[in-house]
Each structure stands twice: as structure tokens, then as C-alpha cells.
Amino acid sequence: MFTVLSATGDLAGPNLYIDTILQNVTCILKNDGEEFLSIPDHVVGSVQLTEGQISGLDTLRRKGEARMHSDADGATIEAKLVLEQVRLCYDYTAKVLFAKNQGKISVCAGEIETFIRVHQTSDLNKSPVLQEFVIRQLRGLRANMSGLGPVSWLVNRLQRTLLNIFSIRIQDLLQEKVHGLIQTELNKFSLADISMRDLMT
């Protein structure tokens, strides 16, 4: 039977396991996460987007109860996760006819809901595997630009493109960066009879 035990030996369930993994991952993103924050430059028509930075990845947390299913092949934990107030910011330069404008542009999501699935085979010598980590919903998306001057009409033209860029960049970051961080933490402990003391060391 696959369980996660507390320091007293009582069954704590999959919530403790997922929360411990996420706590370690968000600590890395908060304290050592500069490499996860830079975004490549992007060109949209006559607008150049540079010095891209993202923030809010360290808000990753569990939403609701995690669920664990066991069978002859092992155990699987599934959970909803959320990130809050994730923001993508760029410096921009826009050239329209003889006008040139510079300013700041940002896209923010109030909440990003993701889904995680972790599988542990019955061979406890093997580490759990992150089978799925995907975005399910993006809520409260909004875009803002400063320094527009005579090219304020660019907001409407660029808004849909900016929101698409945001969605793509977030998905890439989760799959290429955060996915790897989670798997690294999963490699440290299996789902089988792990005490709280084991989890925290």
C-alpha cells in the first residue's frame, strides 16, 4: 500500500507529498530563479519587444484536495495547482511612419489553473515520474501599455497578439523549466511510507 506518513506515523495522504514538492520548487524559483524569469525578445509587426521578464511563478500551490489511486502497477497522484498574478513585462519600441514610441508593456493573468499527475511504479527503487503538467485555464487576462502617445491605437491591434504570446510563453516555461524542477524534487523521495522528517531533509 502506498501512503505518505506524518512524523507521528499517521496517514497524511497525497496533499502532504504534493505540498512538500511545491514548497521546494517555489523556494528555488523565489531565491535562485533568475534563469527562469528572462523571456526572449519578440517582434510584432513594427513593434519590438525586448528585455522580457516574468514574475509570479513562485506562487505555484495546490488548489483543493489531491487524489491518489493505487493498483497493481503502483500509485498515481493527481491535483489541481494554481499560480496567481503571473505577469509578463517587456520594454517596447514602436515605429509608425515618422513616429517612434518607447514604453513598457505588460500582460497579467489573475489566476492560472494547471493539472499535475505523478506516478510511482510498484518498484520503489524507481523515482516517481511527472506524467502530466499542463495549463487548464487562464483567468483574468489583461494587457497594459505605457508611453503610447500618438500610437495609442496599437493597444487594440496588439492586445490579442500579446495575450497569445503570454499563453505560449507561460506554457513553454512550465514545460521546459518548472516541469524539470518538479521532476528533480520527485527524484528525491518515493510515495511509499515517507515520514515528514524524510520529506524535509
Side-chain angles (χ1 to χ4, degrees):
M1 179 180 179
F2 288 86
T3 61
V4 179
L5 303 181
S6 70
T8 61
D10 297 327
L11 181 65
N15 289 339
L16 173 62
Y17 188 81
I18 293 296
D19 290 349
T20 303
I21 296 294
L22 296 180
Q23 181 180 5
N24 293 346
V25 168
T26 54
C27 281
I28 294 172
L29 289 169
K30 183 179 293 183
N31 300 321
D32 304 308
E34 289 186 8
E35 64 177 297
F36 303 100
L37 305 181
S38 296
I39 306 297
D41 295 348
H42 198 86
V43 177
V44 184
S46 60
V47 180
Q48 292 184 327
L49 304 176
T50 59
E51 304 297 326
Q53 292 283 314
I54 195 163
S55 61
L57 295 183
D58 58 357
T59 64
L60 184 65
R61 62 176 177 81
R62 174 173 53 87
K63 181 180 183 180
E65 299 293 320
R67 296 180 300 172
M68 184 166 68
H69 312 281
S70 301
D71 55 35
D73 296 327
T76 300
I77 291 179
E78 298 179 343
K80 291 180 182 179
L81 310 180
V82 293
L83 301 99
E84 297 175 321
Q85 299 302 319
V86 176
R87 187 178 300 275
L88 173 61
C89 298
Y90 281 107
D91 293 338
Y92 80 87
T93 302
K95 294 181 179 179
V96 182
L97 297 177
F98 300 107
K100 180 178 180 180
N101 283 75
Q102 294 178 320
K104 301 285 186 180
I105 191 167
S106 66
V107 182
C108 181
E111 182 180 276
I112 301 174
E113 182 178 299
T114 71
F115 172 79
I116 189 173
R117 179 185 291 118
V118 176
H119 180 71
Q120 168 76 61
T121 69
S122 54
D123 181 356
L124 301 182
N125 292 318
K126 295 183 178 179
S127 299
V129 175
L130 181 55
Q131 290 185 326
E132 193 171 355
F133 181 47
V134 296
I135 291 176
R136 287 243 173 121
Q137 285 188 312
L138 288 86
R139 302 185 181 93
L141 277 175
R142 59 188 184 276
N144 295 291
M145 297 178 71
S146 67
L148 289 172
V151 293
S152 57
W153 53 270
L154 275 175
V155 173
N156 292 331
R157 172 178 270 188
L158 287 177
Q159 188 165 4
R160 179 173 294 183
T161 299
L162 290 169
L163 296 181
N164 287 338
I165 291 173
F166 179 86
S167 301
I168 292 169
R169 294 301 188 207
I170 288 294
Q171 187 68 61
D172 288 346
L173 277 168
L174 293 181
Q175 291 299 319
E176 296 174 9
K177 304 289 188 178
V178 182
H179 185 288
L181 287 177
I182 294 174
Q183 184 60 61
T184 296
E185 294 303 317
L186 292 174
N187 292 340
K188 295 179 181 179
F189 24 74
S190 75
L191 274 63
D193 295 338
I194 301 173
S195 71
M196 189 62 181
R197 180 176 300 174
D198 294 329
L199 282 169
M200 301 308 291
T201 56

